[in-house]
PDB file of all heavy atoms in Angstrom:
ATOM      1  N   VAL A   1      18.169 -13.806  -6.637  1.00 97.00           N
ATOM      2  CA  VAL A   1      17.807 -13.580  -8.045  1.00 97.00           C
ATOM      3  C   VAL A   1      16.598 -14.428  -8.420  1.00 97.00           C
ATOM      4  O   VAL A   1      15.664 -13.940  -9.077  1.00 97.00           O
ATOM      5  CB  VAL A   1      19.004 -13.896  -8.962  1.00 97.00           C
ATOM      6  CG1 VAL A   1      18.568 -13.928 -10.425  1.00 97.00           C
ATOM      7  CG2 VAL A   1      20.110 -12.864  -8.776  1.00 97.00           C
ATOM      8  N   VAL A   2      16.597 -15.696  -8.002  1.00 96.00           N
ATOM      9  CA  VAL A   2      15.451 -16.562  -8.285  1.00 96.00           C
ATOM     10  C   VAL A   2      14.193 -16.009  -7.637  1.00 96.00           C
ATOM     11  O   VAL A   2      13.115 -15.977  -8.246  1.00 96.00           O
ATOM     12  CB  VAL A   2      15.728 -17.998  -7.784  1.00 96.00           C
ATOM     13  CG1 VAL A   2      14.452 -18.850  -7.842  1.00 96.00           C
ATOM     14  CG2 VAL A   2      16.825 -18.648  -8.607  1.00 96.00           C
ATOM     15  N   ILE A   3      14.300 -15.543  -6.393  1.00 96.00           N
ATOM     16  CA  ILE A   3      13.147 -14.979  -5.696  1.00 96.00           C
ATOM     17  C   ILE A   3      12.642 -13.726  -6.405  1.00 96.00           C
ATOM     18  O   ILE A   3      11.436 -13.544  -6.604  1.00 96.00           O
ATOM     19  CB  ILE A   3      13.512 -14.667  -4.228  1.00 96.00           C
ATOM     20  CG1 ILE A   3      13.745 -15.969  -3.455  1.00 96.00           C
ATOM     21  CG2 ILE A   3      12.409 -13.858  -3.555  1.00 96.00           C
ATOM     22  CD1 ILE A   3      14.348 -15.764  -2.075  1.00 96.00           C
ATOM     23  N   ALA A   4      13.573 -12.850  -6.809  1.00 94.00           N
ATOM     24  CA  ALA A   4      13.174 -11.613  -7.486  1.00 94.00           C
ATOM     25  C   ALA A   4      12.505 -11.891  -8.834  1.00 94.00           C
ATOM     26  O   ALA A   4      11.455 -11.321  -9.157  1.00 94.00           O
ATOM     27  CB  ALA A   4      14.394 -10.712  -7.676  1.00 94.00           C
ATOM     28  N   LEU A   5      13.100 -12.778  -9.607  1.00 93.00           N
ATOM     29  CA  LEU A   5      12.500 -13.122 -10.899  1.00 93.00           C
ATOM     30  C   LEU A   5      11.154 -13.817 -10.700  1.00 93.00           C
ATOM     31  O   LEU A   5      10.197 -13.585 -11.451  1.00 93.00           O
ATOM     32  CB  LEU A   5      13.451 -14.028 -11.683  1.00 93.00           C
ATOM     33  CG  LEU A   5      14.755 -13.373 -12.159  1.00 93.00           C
ATOM     34  CD1 LEU A   5      15.632 -14.415 -12.866  1.00 93.00           C
ATOM     35  CD2 LEU A   5      14.472 -12.203 -13.089  1.00 93.00           C
ATOM     36  N   GLY A   6      11.086 -14.666  -9.669  1.00 91.00           N
ATOM     37  CA  GLY A   6       9.822 -15.335  -9.369  1.00 91.00           C
ATOM     38  C   GLY A   6       8.738 -14.355  -8.976  1.00 91.00           C
ATOM     39  O   GLY A   6       7.569 -14.528  -9.330  1.00 91.00           O
ATOM     40  N   ALA A   7       9.119 -13.306  -8.235  1.00 90.00           N
ATOM     41  CA  ALA A   7       8.145 -12.294  -7.839  1.00 90.00           C
ATOM     42  C   ALA A   7       7.547 -11.601  -9.059  1.00 90.00           C
ATOM     43  O   ALA A   7       6.336 -11.370  -9.138  1.00 90.00           O
ATOM     44  CB  ALA A   7       8.804 -11.274  -6.918  1.00 90.00           C
ATOM     45  N   VAL A   8       8.407 -11.289 -10.019  1.00 88.00           N
ATOM     46  CA  VAL A   8       7.922 -10.641 -11.251  1.00 88.00           C
ATOM     47  C   VAL A   8       7.069 -11.615 -12.056  1.00 88.00           C
ATOM     48  O   VAL A   8       5.998 -11.257 -12.560  1.00 88.00           O
ATOM     49  CB  VAL A   8       9.117 -10.152 -12.096  1.00 88.00           C
ATOM     50  CG1 VAL A   8       8.643  -9.634 -13.450  1.00 88.00           C
ATOM     51  CG2 VAL A   8       9.886  -9.071 -11.344  1.00 88.00           C
ATOM     52  N   TRP A   9       7.509 -12.842 -12.149  1.00 88.00           N
ATOM     53  CA  TRP A   9       6.864 -13.854 -12.980  1.00 88.00           C
ATOM     54  C   TRP A   9       5.528 -14.315 -12.399  1.00 88.00           C
ATOM     55  O   TRP A   9       4.580 -14.573 -13.138  1.00 88.00           O
ATOM     56  CB  TRP A   9       7.808 -15.040 -13.110  1.00 88.00           C
ATOM     57  CG  TRP A   9       7.526 -15.961 -14.249  1.00 88.00           C
ATOM     58  CD1 TRP A   9       7.030 -15.645 -15.480  1.00 88.00           C
ATOM     59  CD2 TRP A   9       7.761 -17.373 -14.268  1.00 88.00           C
ATOM     60  NE1 TRP A   9       6.933 -16.759 -16.265  1.00 88.00           N
ATOM     61  CE2 TRP A   9       7.375 -17.836 -15.540  1.00 88.00           C
ATOM     62  CE3 TRP A   9       8.270 -18.273 -13.332  1.00 88.00           C
ATOM     63  CZ2 TRP A   9       7.463 -19.180 -15.905  1.00 88.00           C
ATOM     64  CZ3 TRP A   9       8.380 -19.606 -13.691  1.00 88.00           C
ATOM     65  CH2 TRP A   9       7.973 -20.050 -14.967  1.00 88.00           C
ATOM     66  N   VAL A  10       5.449 -14.376 -11.074  1.00 85.00           N
ATOM     67  CA  VAL A  10       4.255 -14.928 -10.430  1.00 85.00           C
ATOM     68  C   VAL A  10       3.360 -13.836  -9.855  1.00 85.00           C
ATOM     69  O   VAL A  10       2.171 -13.748 -10.189  1.00 85.00           O
ATOM     70  CB  VAL A  10       4.655 -15.915  -9.304  1.00 85.00           C
ATOM     71  CG1 VAL A  10       3.404 -16.419  -8.568  1.00 85.00           C
ATOM     72  CG2 VAL A  10       5.433 -17.092  -9.870  1.00 85.00           C
ATOM     73  N   CYS A  11       3.911 -12.979  -8.988  1.00 81.00           N
ATOM     74  CA  CYS A  11       3.077 -12.039  -8.242  1.00 81.00           C
ATOM     75  C   CYS A  11       2.481 -10.937  -9.110  1.00 81.00           C
ATOM     76  O   CYS A  11       1.329 -10.552  -8.933  1.00 81.00           O
ATOM     77  CB  CYS A  11       3.876 -11.426  -7.096  1.00 81.00           C
ATOM     78  SG  CYS A  11       4.281 -12.617  -5.810  1.00 81.00           S
ATOM     79  N   LEU A  12       3.274 -10.400 -10.035  1.00 77.00           N
ATOM     80  CA  LEU A  12       2.733  -9.349 -10.891  1.00 77.00           C
ATOM     81  C   LEU A  12       1.592  -9.878 -11.746  1.00 77.00           C
ATOM     82  O   LEU A  12       0.588  -9.192 -11.971  1.00 77.00           O
ATOM     83  CB  LEU A  12       3.834  -8.761 -11.775  1.00 77.00           C
ATOM     84  CG  LEU A  12       4.859  -7.856 -11.074  1.00 77.00           C
ATOM     85  CD1 LEU A  12       5.847  -7.306 -12.081  1.00 77.00           C
ATOM     86  CD2 LEU A  12       4.165  -6.732 -10.332  1.00 77.00           C
ATOM     87  N   ARG A  13       1.723 -11.093 -12.223  1.00 76.00           N
ATOM     88  CA  ARG A  13       0.668 -11.695 -13.038  1.00 76.00           C
ATOM     89  C   ARG A  13      -0.631 -11.842 -12.255  1.00 76.00           C
ATOM     90  O   ARG A  13      -1.719 -11.679 -12.797  1.00 76.00           O
ATOM     91  CB  ARG A  13       1.134 -13.059 -13.549  1.00 76.00           C
ATOM     92  CG  ARG A  13       0.117 -13.794 -14.397  1.00 76.00           C
ATOM     93  CD  ARG A  13       0.634 -15.165 -14.791  1.00 76.00           C
ATOM     94  NE  ARG A  13      -0.353 -15.933 -15.529  1.00 76.00           N
ATOM     95  CZ  ARG A  13      -0.507 -15.898 -16.839  1.00 76.00           C
ATOM     96  NH1 ARG A  13       0.269 -15.115 -17.563  1.00 76.00           N
ATOM     97  NH2 ARG A  13      -1.424 -16.628 -17.436  1.00 76.00           N
ATOM     98  N   MET A  14      -0.506 -12.119 -10.954  1.00 80.00           N
ATOM     99  CA  MET A  14      -1.692 -12.313 -10.120  1.00 80.00           C
ATOM    100  C   MET A  14      -2.142 -11.022  -9.431  1.00 80.00           C
ATOM    101  O   MET A  14      -3.043 -11.039  -8.614  1.00 80.00           O
ATOM    102  CB  MET A  14      -1.417 -13.395  -9.070  1.00 80.00           C
ATOM    103  CG  MET A  14      -1.190 -14.759  -9.657  1.00 80.00           C
ATOM    104  SD  MET A  14      -1.170 -16.079  -8.422  1.00 80.00           S
ATOM    105  CE  MET A  14       0.283 -15.638  -7.466  1.00 80.00           C
ATOM    106  N   ARG A  15      -1.488  -9.902  -9.758  1.00 83.00           N
ATOM    107  CA  ARG A  15      -1.842  -8.593  -9.216  1.00 83.00           C
ATOM    108  C   ARG A  15      -1.762  -8.582  -7.689  1.00 83.00           C
ATOM    109  O   ARG A  15      -2.646  -8.070  -6.995  1.00 83.00           O
ATOM    110  CB  ARG A  15      -3.236  -8.179  -9.678  1.00 83.00           C
ATOM    111  CG  ARG A  15      -3.316  -7.949 -11.183  1.00 83.00           C
ATOM    112  CD  ARG A  15      -4.718  -7.698 -11.646  1.00 83.00           C
ATOM    113  NE  ARG A  15      -4.760  -7.401 -13.074  1.00 83.00           N
ATOM    114  CZ  ARG A  15      -5.874  -7.307 -13.787  1.00 83.00           C
ATOM    115  NH1 ARG A  15      -7.038  -7.517 -13.199  1.00 83.00           N
ATOM    116  NH2 ARG A  15      -5.820  -7.028 -15.073  1.00 83.00           N
ATOM    117  N   MET A  16      -0.684  -9.130  -7.182  1.00 88.00           N
ATOM    118  CA  MET A  16      -0.489  -9.201  -5.735  1.00 88.00           C
ATOM    119  C   MET A  16       0.454  -8.122  -5.205  1.00 88.00           C
ATOM    120  O   MET A  16       0.743  -8.097  -4.009  1.00 88.00           O
ATOM    121  CB  MET A  16       0.057 -10.581  -5.345  1.00 88.00           C
ATOM    122  CG  MET A  16      -0.947 -11.699  -5.454  1.00 88.00           C
ATOM    123  SD  MET A  16      -2.258 -11.525  -4.204  1.00 88.00           S
ATOM    124  CE  MET A  16      -3.318 -12.912  -4.655  1.00 88.00           C
ATOM    125  N   LEU A  17       0.952  -7.230  -6.070  1.00 87.00           N
ATOM    126  CA  LEU A  17       1.895  -6.212  -5.625  1.00 87.00           C
ATOM    127  C   LEU A  17       1.329  -5.335  -4.504  1.00 87.00           C
ATOM    128  O   LEU A  17       2.049  -5.041  -3.536  1.00 87.00           O
ATOM    129  CB  LEU A  17       2.353  -5.353  -6.799  1.00 87.00           C
ATOM    130  CG  LEU A  17       3.424  -4.303  -6.485  1.00 87.00           C
ATOM    131  CD1 LEU A  17       4.675  -4.961  -5.904  1.00 87.00           C
ATOM    132  CD2 LEU A  17       3.774  -3.508  -7.736  1.00 87.00           C
ATOM    133  N   PRO A  18       0.056  -4.886  -4.569  1.00 89.00           N
ATOM    134  CA  PRO A  18      -0.469  -4.087  -3.449  1.00 89.00           C
ATOM    135  C   PRO A  18      -0.414  -4.832  -2.121  1.00 89.00           C
ATOM    136  O   PRO A  18      -0.107  -4.231  -1.079  1.00 89.00           O
ATOM    137  CB  PRO A  18      -1.922  -3.799  -3.871  1.00 89.00           C
ATOM    138  CG  PRO A  18      -1.890  -3.858  -5.358  1.00 89.00           C
ATOM    139  CD  PRO A  18      -0.915  -4.948  -5.690  1.00 89.00           C
ATOM    140  N   MET A  19      -0.708  -6.126  -2.146  1.00 93.00           N
ATOM    141  CA  MET A  19      -0.637  -6.918  -0.916  1.00 93.00           C
ATOM    142  C   MET A  19       0.802  -6.996  -0.412  1.00 93.00           C
ATOM    143  O   MET A  19       1.062  -6.848   0.793  1.00 93.00           O
ATOM    144  CB  MET A  19      -1.179  -8.321  -1.181  1.00 93.00           C
ATOM    145  CG  MET A  19      -1.193  -9.241   0.035  1.00 93.00           C
ATOM    146  SD  MET A  19       0.393 -10.081   0.336  1.00 93.00           S
ATOM    147  CE  MET A  19       0.554 -11.087  -1.135  1.00 93.00           C
ATOM    148  N   VAL A  20       1.752  -7.222  -1.329  1.00 94.00           N
ATOM    149  CA  VAL A  20       3.161  -7.329  -0.945  1.00 94.00           C
ATOM    150  C   VAL A  20       3.637  -6.026  -0.303  1.00 94.00           C
ATOM    151  O   VAL A  20       4.294  -6.023   0.747  1.00 94.00           O
ATOM    152  CB  VAL A  20       4.023  -7.685  -2.168  1.00 94.00           C
ATOM    153  CG1 VAL A  20       5.507  -7.592  -1.827  1.00 94.00           C
ATOM    154  CG2 VAL A  20       3.682  -9.082  -2.679  1.00 94.00           C
ATOM    155  N   LEU A  21       3.303  -4.896  -0.906  1.00 95.00           N
ATOM    156  CA  LEU A  21       3.708  -3.597  -0.368  1.00 95.00           C
ATOM    157  C   LEU A  21       3.010  -3.311   0.955  1.00 95.00           C
ATOM    158  O   LEU A  21       3.625  -2.778   1.889  1.00 95.00           O
ATOM    159  CB  LEU A  21       3.401  -2.490  -1.373  1.00 95.00           C
ATOM    160  CG  LEU A  21       4.220  -2.513  -2.667  1.00 95.00           C
ATOM    161  CD1 LEU A  21       3.739  -1.432  -3.622  1.00 95.00           C
ATOM    162  CD2 LEU A  21       5.705  -2.338  -2.364  1.00 95.00           C
ATOM    163  N   ALA A  22       1.729  -3.655   1.047  1.00 96.00           N
ATOM    164  CA  ALA A  22       0.970  -3.405   2.269  1.00 96.00           C
ATOM    165  C   ALA A  22       1.511  -4.207   3.440  1.00 96.00           C
ATOM    166  O   ALA A  22       1.384  -3.793   4.595  1.00 96.00           O
ATOM    167  CB  ALA A  22      -0.508  -3.728   2.056  1.00 96.00           C
ATOM    168  N   PHE A  23       2.119  -5.346   3.154  1.00 97.00           N
ATOM    169  CA  PHE A  23       2.780  -6.114   4.206  1.00 97.00           C
ATOM    170  C   PHE A  23       4.175  -5.576   4.473  1.00 97.00           C
ATOM    171  O   PHE A  23       4.555  -5.334   5.619  1.00 97.00           O
ATOM    172  CB  PHE A  23       2.863  -7.591   3.820  1.00 97.00           C
ATOM    173  CG  PHE A  23       3.667  -8.416   4.803  1.00 97.00           C
ATOM    174  CD1 PHE A  23       3.045  -9.003   5.887  1.00 97.00           C
ATOM    175  CD2 PHE A  23       5.037  -8.584   4.644  1.00 97.00           C
ATOM    176  CE1 PHE A  23       3.777  -9.742   6.809  1.00 97.00           C
ATOM    177  CE2 PHE A  23       5.780  -9.323   5.550  1.00 97.00           C
ATOM    178  CZ  PHE A  23       5.142  -9.903   6.638  1.00 97.00           C
ATOM    179  N   SER A  24       4.956  -5.409   3.430  1.00 97.00           N
ATOM    180  CA  SER A  24       6.389  -5.154   3.574  1.00 97.00           C
ATOM    181  C   SER A  24       6.704  -3.816   4.229  1.00 97.00           C
ATOM    182  O   SER A  24       7.620  -3.729   5.070  1.00 97.00           O
ATOM    183  CB  SER A  24       7.066  -5.225   2.204  1.00 97.00           C
ATOM    184  OG  SER A  24       6.870  -6.490   1.615  1.00 97.00           O
ATOM    185  N   VAL A  25       5.975  -2.771   3.867  1.00 97.00           N
ATOM    186  CA  VAL A  25       6.285  -1.437   4.406  1.00 97.00           C
ATOM    187  C   VAL A  25       6.029  -1.367   5.912  1.00 97.00           C
ATOM    188  O   VAL A  25       6.945  -1.038   6.680  1.00 97.00           O
ATOM    189  CB  VAL A  25       5.520  -0.345   3.636  1.00 97.00           C
ATOM    190  CG1 VAL A  25       5.720   1.012   4.312  1.00 97.00           C
ATOM    191  CG2 VAL A  25       5.986  -0.279   2.188  1.00 97.00           C
ATOM    192  N   PRO A  26       4.816  -1.662   6.393  1.00 98.00           N
ATOM    193  CA  PRO A  26       4.632  -1.608   7.855  1.00 98.00           C
ATOM    194  C   PRO A  26       5.459  -2.647   8.601  1.00 98.00           C
ATOM    195  O   PRO A  26       5.953  -2.377   9.697  1.00 98.00           O
ATOM    196  CB  PRO A  26       3.128  -1.844   8.040  1.00 98.00           C
ATOM    197  CG  PRO A  26       2.667  -2.488   6.785  1.00 98.00           C
ATOM    198  CD  PRO A  26       3.551  -1.965   5.709  1.00 98.00           C
TER     199      PRO A  26
END
């Protein structure tokens, strides 16, 4: 839960979602 909330709080603000998806899917 902390990791998930942190992802929303930190990564979305820094527009890192494309990087996260580009890593996670492959």
Side-chain angles (χ1 to χ4, degrees):
V1 169
V2 170
I3 292 170
L5 292 177
V8 173
W9 199 34
V10 176
C11 292
L12 287 182
R13 179 183 176 88
M14 295 191 295
R15 294 173 177 171
M16 288 292 177
L17 184 58
M19 181 276 296
V20 171
L21 293 175
F23 174 89
S24 301
V25 173

